Amino acid sequence: MANREELGIIRAARAGRPLAQVELGKLYLLGSTGLPKSLPTALHWLERAACQECPEAWELIGTHIPLELARQSPRPLALWYERAFDAGVTRAGLVLAQLVLEPQAGAARAAAPSARTAKAL
């Protein structure tokens, strides 16, 4: 159960305060005595803060949110990884490249004929 301080952060985050959203995101990134570690929940709160132009939020997304979770997000996250990379988070650039390039590579592979198909032609 969340302690008094964490409850205050939760209330402020729900009220739309970006700094509280970042703090709540951090608590879920690392876990705390009252809140479990949960990357999807951390992403939820960090993304809400990022939408309010909070640089710390997109840097935390770029640093801690893995590619697999970014792919599962119902909303595109590439913008936050791009901003984190521009702020110097190298890992964010790697995830950004995979988010942007892999779908195109997969579509190109699907459209290209296989070696067997090419021989048959």
Side-chain angles (χ1 to χ4, degrees):
M1 175 172 251
N3 63 35
R4 197 173 283 215
E5 181 183 342
E6 292 168 340
L7 288 173
I9 293 170
I10 291 169
R11 280 190 210 101
R14 287 182 177 167
R17 296 184 187 149
L19 295 179
Q21 291 169 342
V22 168
E23 288 307 310
L24 188 53
K26 286 181 190 177
L27 289 174
Y28 279 110
L29 277 176
L30 306 172
S32 69
T33 55
L35 298 172
K37 181 177 179 179
S38 172
L39 292 180
T41 307
L43 174 59
H44 169 80
W45 289 108
L46 292 172
E47 186 178 16
R48 288 183 67 176
C51 287
Q52 296 183 65
E53 300 298 317
C54 183
E56 186 178 7
W58 61 66
E59 289 174 19
L60 287 167
I61 290 170
T63 302
H64 296 285
I65 302 301
L67 174 65
E68 296 76 28
L69 185 56
R71 284 188 181 139
Q72 295 170 6
S73 175
R75 297 188 345 196
L77 299 178
L79 175 63
W80 310 132
Y81 287 96
E82 180 179 7
R83 288 185 177 181
F85 180 68
D86 289 344
V89 180
T90 306
R91 181 188 173 283
L94 297 172
V95 174
L96 174 63
Q98 290 175 311
L99 283 175
V100 173
L101 298 176
E102 279 188 0
Q104 293 173 356
R109 281 191 295 260
S114 67
R116 288 185 190 180
T117 307
K119 285 182 181 180
L121 296 176

